[in-house]
Amino acid sequence: MRNTLFIFDIDGTLTDSVPMYLESVTRSLAALGIANIDTDYNNYKHHTDSYALRYNYERNFNQGFHAGLLDDFENDLVYQMSRFDPVQEIEGAKSLIQFFREQEVPFCFATGALPKPAMIKLDQCDIWYDQNLLSTSKTHESREGFVNDAIGKAKSYYGKKNFDQIVSIGDGLWDLKTAQNLSLDFVGVGDKNKQKLIAEGAKKCFTDLNEFKKTLV
């Protein structure tokens, strides 16, 4: 596996944080003065923080938002998250990341969240990460954009020109679709969307990361 790259989604894949984080996003949008918030996040064009902000801001104010607003949004998300209890890991997340480090297996993180909230969630679960392996929606609204960015960062971090195989690990249909669009292998995590993932073409789905890890050892 030393020339296989594993790309991890964070929310719902490594951290049990989806309900809390979506509520934090809604509160932060409201804090920016956005009154009419579309909270049907699952049906967004892009499942990312940066898109949620632009989409809701433009539909409320009929104008584009300035770049600094994304920083304000990110900082308020940190505040909103502090009002909730710390999140817990998806079972086996910390152990799997540690296993990959010990076995020198390349991995990175690609998340629709913004950097500060993403790191807080990983910190709360005591999951190891390096910022040089973290790609977020701060620079790309689309998942394809920051997944490609994550691959580039991993090549640089691990000193690889290419990987023999790239595996995307996620819990949502958008994770699967992104992997399919980029011709990546995919592993599904969690039972919530398992049947939907299988129906859309996922070949490997596991209840949690402990179950997935057993297939690697």
Side-chain angles (χ1 to χ4, degrees), residues 68-137:
L69 199 60
L70 189 58
D71 291 330
D72 294 340
F73 183 47
E74 181 178 17
N75 289 330
D76 194 76
L77 278 168
V78 170
Y79 165 69
Q80 298 298 343
M81 290 173 63
S82 73
R83 303 173 68 187
F84 292 89
D85 292 335
V87 300
Q88 302 296 313
E89 68 168 329
I90 296 297
E91 189 171 348
K94 180 180 176 180
S95 173
L96 179 60
I97 294 298
Q98 185 59 33
F99 171 74
F100 279 174
R101 292 188 72 204
E102 292 170 353
Q103 299 299 315
E104 299 181 351
V105 176
F107 64 91
C108 58
F109 307 90
T111 175
L114 292 169
K116 292 178 183 178
M119 290 186 287
I120 287 171
K121 284 173 277 192
L122 293 172
D123 284 336
Q124 288 178 346
C125 295
D126 195 27
I127 295 172
W128 182 94
Y129 66 92
D130 187 309
Q131 291 188 47
N132 293 315
L133 290 172
L134 175 65
S135 294
T136 74
S137 69

Side-chain angles (χ1 to χ4, degrees), residues 7 44-47 141-148 151 166-168 172-186 200-202:
I7 306 174
Y44 275 22
K45 178 181 179 181
H46 301 298
H47 297 85
E141 279 190 357
S142 74
R143 302 194 79 84
E144 288 81 1
F146 58 75
V147 168
N148 273 326
I151 294 170
I166 300 177
V167 182
S168 175
L173 284 174
W174 43 88
D175 298 309
L176 172 62
K177 292 298 183 183
T178 300
Q180 292 171 336
N181 290 341
L182 296 178
S183 299
L184 308 177
D185 292 316
F186 178 78
E200 292 297 326

Side-chain angles (χ1 to χ4, degrees), residues 2-75:
R2 290 187 177 181
N3 206 40
T4 296
L5 175 66
F6 292 88
I7 306 174
F8 287 93
D9 171 52
I10 294 178
D11 292 288
T13 301
L14 293 174
T15 65
D16 188 8
S17 50
V18 173
M20 175 280 295
Y21 196 58
L22 291 181
E23 179 61 27
S24 295
V25 168
T26 302
R27 293 181 184 184
S28 289
L29 291 172
L32 293 175
I34 300 172
N36 182 17
I37 301 169
D38 181 357
T39 58
D40 190 9
Y41 297 113
N42 283 340
N43 286 319
Y44 275 22
K45 178 181 179 181
H46 301 298
H47 297 85
T48 63
D49 289 1
S50 55
Y51 178 77
L53 174 60
R54 183 174 68 81
Y55 167 64
N56 282 287
Y57 188 89
E58 291 180 355
R59 70 192 289 268
N60 272 257
F61 302 113
N62 295 313
Q63 63 180 18
F65 68 93
H66 59 84
L69 199 60
L70 189 58
D71 291 330
D72 294 340
F73 183 47
E74 181 178 17
N75 289 330

